[in-house]
Amino acid sequence: MLMRMPFAFWHAAAGLAEVLPQPPLTRNQVELMQIDTTAAESRPGFRALGISPRSLEDELEAMLKHGKTQQA
């Protein structure tokens, strides 16, 4: 079940949690939750930035090939 919680609550909870040795939540994380980081059609994407996305497997293969040519 999801419930809406005000950010004031999360800031207070994070402030209390930060006294723990390994806090499960920090105030910095709460600040990041308040920023919209989802993709939107109205925002520039890969094409506008000149980036061609590819799979992790393709990227690793390219890195390995590049490493072999550097060693030769």
Side-chain angles (χ1 to χ4, degrees), residues 5-63:
M5 300 295 286
F7 280 107
F9 167 82
W10 288 113
H11 278 286
L16 292 172
E18 285 181 346
V19 300
L20 299 172
Q22 293 182 341
L25 181 69
T26 66
R27 287 176 286 187
N28 288 340
Q29 290 171 322
V30 175
E31 288 177 21
L32 289 173
M33 286 191 291
Q34 292 178 276
I35 300 170
D36 181 15
T37 59
T38 57
E41 291 292 325
S42 62
R43 299 237 167 119
F46 289 125
R47 189 175 299 124
L49 297 171
I51 298 172
S52 176
R54 57 184 173 183
S55 70
L56 177 61
E57 291 81 8
D58 290 343
E59 183 63 26
L60 291 173
E61 186 176 322
M63 291 170 68

Side-chain angles (χ1 to χ4, degrees), residues 62-72:
M63 291 170 68
L64 287 172
K65 286 180 183 176
H66 181 73
K68 287 179 182 178
T69 59
Q70 292 279 335
Q71 293 175 359

